[in-house]
Amino acid sequence: MERGEITLDEAAAALKVSPSTVRRLIAERRLPAHQLRKGAPWVIKAPDLEHSEIRNAAQARRFRRPSSGDLRQGELEL
């Protein structure tokens, strides 16, 4: 934290999305992040979360269409 770096879970909380969404943003190379080695925790620079492109991408992930492609498919209210 002192170096301005946060974990994947902290990034997810800051963006108000799931950790898997942050993993997808990293895989799509929208969110810069690095690992010291494969299997190590992801390290993300906190200031990167402030970019509007990243915030917009995270926001768009929250309101995705159903994965089946059937637009008649609804979402469960929990």
Side-chain angles (χ1 to χ4, degrees), residues 37-72:
R37 61 187 151 103
K38 189 173 182 168
W42 284 101
V43 178
I44 301 161
K45 293 185 180 181
D48 287 340
L49 299 182
E50 300 305 318
H51 291 102
S52 61
E53 179 184 327
I54 293 169
R55 292 241 175 234
N56 291 339
Q59 180 73 19
R61 290 282 183 177
R62 279 188 255 171
F63 302 106
R64 289 186 349 178
R65 289 186 174 161
S67 60
S68 72
D70 183 351
L71 298 178
R72 296 173 297 163

Side-chain angles (χ1 to χ4, degrees), residues 74-78:
E75 293 185 11
L76 294 175
E77 297 290 328
L78 301 176

Side-chain angles (χ1 to χ4, degrees), residues 5-6 10 12-13 21 23 25 28 30-32 35 39-40 44 48 50 52 54 58 65 72 74:
E5 297 175 333
I6 59 174
E10 292 169 333
T21 296
R23 282 189 201 93
L25 292 172
E28 293 169 355
R30 290 181 170 209
L31 178 61
Q35 291 177 301
I44 301 161
D48 287 340
E50 300 305 318
S52 61
I54 293 169
R65 289 186 174 161
R72 296 173 297 163

